[in-house]
Amino acid sequence: MVLDPPSPFDMDGKVAIVTGSGRGLGKAMAKALAAAGAQVVCAARTPEQIEQTVAEITSDGGTAIAVPTDVTSSAAVDALVARAVEAYGRLDVMIANAGGGGGPQNLEFWEYPDDAFESVVATNLKSAFYSDRAAARQFVAQGEGGVIVNVASGTALRGNQQFAYPTAKGGVISLTKSAATMLAKHDIRVNAIVPGYINQRPPRDEQEAEVRRNRGVRVPVRRLGDWWELGPLALYLASDASRYVTGELFIIDGGGLAGGLAPVTFAPAHEIGAAS
Amino acid sequence: MTTSGTPVDLAALPGPAHLRLDGKRALIVAAESPVGAAIARAYAQAGAELALAVLRPDEAVVSAKRLQRELEGLGTRSTVYVMDVVLGKNVQVTTRQIAKELGGVDIAVCASDLFLGKPIGRTSDSELQQVMAYNFNAHFFVARSASDEMRRNDPAGGRIILLSHVLGERGLSNTAAYGAAHGATQQLVRSLSQELAPQGVTINGISTGWMDWMQDRLDERNDDAGRAVRFTLPRRAGSPEDVAPMAVWLAGSGAGNVTGQVFHVDGGLTQHL
Ligand SMILES: NC(=O)c1ccc[n+]([C@@H]2O[C@H](COP(=O)([O-])OP(=O)(O)OC[C@H]3O[C@@H](n4cnc5c(N)ncnc54)[C@H](OP(=O)(O)O)[C@@H]3O)[C@@H](O)[C@H]2O)c1
């Protein structure tokens, strides 16, 4: 008799928090983990959006709850982890995805104000630290290891005019490597997803589709990425499929960062203007 | 130095002791190339003795002789050699001869480079071999023969500097063979840094981007060709004189603890989106 070996991608019995899962990439990741059997805790500031994510997961036969959270507050993030443990008894995965651009555009470097810089750093870097730390505490208390996935950005790997955002995301990359080093002895793996240009949802109309097609020309595979394409990567990193992988960056960008020298066909980003 | 404006006037640079190369014997392979010649001039100004090796017995010899006279004007002795870098044996024999004549080799620079821009389907076996020969094998042979001479120095030791190109670490259509060969050269730097350290030899790479002597790499019929320099942050192609100061620093006494590194001299080309 041949027994099917258990799939290393199976998430049955595992509990995962996905921050920023009210829309976009986080929602796609939450749905992918739920589809693989995880119990998912969806967090973001807008209750209706995370409730919508939960509704979609449960109507597909999955298990999830929504916990409204502002990840720029460490107390709120600690409470989020406590709520997950209260609901499902444990925590196995933290996907620290909440974040985004914002901040003033097209300012000269020397004009950039304190409050804008601090707010972008809070949303993208402090939030990742709070999330990773709260999860690590819980993982160490449980004594069975755990998985952390941070979401950085390709903009962090090269210079970029948006400035504060790539700077914060560069911090997320560094955080990932240090946390992986410090937490390995507790069997906690920490990796980062580094997205390039990813559409957050289907286009609203033909005009938006056209804008996306034009931007896609700059990417070696000649199109932007789609939100759902983050799901399989998140599942790989959250599951035992990646059990020997830690401290690494997973660039998902259609080849953009591999190239970037092209004199023909592609226009340089510093002439077109930055994008997130 | 700012990133914009005219190339540096090397003679006007102040010369701290760690940038002096007085009494050092330097071998420059591909001295007929713009960057090889610029490094030769900078080394001469820093006080080194020079062996100028050209890759082929043709006009290359004429331009090397011209360089030799120019260096004489600076009060620097140099000798011109032909070194066929396609064959390891030739590199070895010529390097041996140079070491005998100069009494040793302290610094070896290899600037051999041959561009090929072609889709993989149209790249022939012999083109691939040529590209590998001039962009990788040459560097391998020079490192092998020069490190052997440097081992015999008293005390043992020396500096090897390989010129490479940023296409060795970034993908660009139609440069698969060229980029792969340079990628190999950059890995050679890292591997040999470990192997040669015990004998006091450091090895480093200088990786250039769009340089002013590379204009022939662009297809002028293509409207986009002129845009190449826009991918550099200072909006100008690099010049040989932009590269030479790095080669002086790496050869000088201040860089003895620097090895296995590939430095970009590319106007920020690889560092922005
Ligand atoms: N899409 C891309 O091309 C791209 C590229 C590189 C990196 N990224 C990164 O990928 C992640 C997801 O981005 P996305 O494109 O999916 O963006 P999005 O569609 O704007 O979604 C961002 C999510 O994060 C939540 N969020 C933002 N600030 C928050 C806060 N203070 N507390 C809690 N939740 C917060 C948002 O919900 P609320 O506003 O309701 O709180 C939302 O659910 C971000 O970290 C982003 O920087 C995206």
Side-chain angles (χ1 to χ4, degrees), chain A residues 19-27 29 43-47 49-50 69-72 96-101 122-124 127 151-155 165 169 193-200 276:
Chain A
T19 71
S21 46
R23 54 180 193 265
L25 318 189
K27 181 174 181 177
M29 294 192 265
R45 288 167 306 186
T46 314
Q49 292 189 345
I50 41 178
T69 310
D70 180 348
V71 293
T72 62
N97 160 78
T123 304
N124 291 286
S127 63
V151 177
S153 164
T155 57
Y165 174 74
K169 290 296 195 183
I193 293 178
V194 182
Y197 298 103
I198 315 287
N199 297 315
Q200 296 160 332
S276 62

Side-chain angles (χ1 to χ4, degrees), chain A residues 5-81:
Chain A
S7 163
F9 289 96
D10 193 5
M11 295 292 288
D12 264 342
K14 293 196 177 163
V15 180
I17 294 177
V18 183
T19 71
S21 46
R23 54 180 193 265
L25 318 189
K27 181 174 181 177
M29 294 192 265
K31 289 175 83 166
L33 299 192
Q39 293 153 296
V40 180
V41 179
C42 301
R45 288 167 306 186
T46 314
E48 306 77 55
Q49 292 189 345
I50 41 178
E51 275 153 21
Q52 176 62 29
T53 304
V54 168
E56 291 176 28
I57 287 173
T58 41
S59 84
D60 289 342
T63 309
I65 52 167
V67 181
T69 310
D70 180 348
V71 293
T72 62
S73 149
S74 76
V77 173
D78 290 348
L80 166 66
V81 169

Side-chain angles (χ1 to χ4, degrees), chain B residues 100-118:
Chain B
K100 270 200 190 133
E101 290 178 18
L102 294 181
V105 174
D106 302 298
I107 302 162
V109 175
C110 182
S112 171
D113 189 275
L114 177 72
F115 185 68
L116 178 77
K118 266 195 176 181

Side-chain angles (χ1 to χ4, degrees), chain A residues 159 258 262 266 269-271, chain B residues 170-171 227 230-231 235 271 273:
Chain A
F266 304 158
H270 63 85
E271 290 193 355
Chain B
R170 288 289 170 75
R227 297 179 15 183
R230 294 188 358 215
F231 284 77
R235 313 286 167 101
Q271 295 304 322
L273 277 172

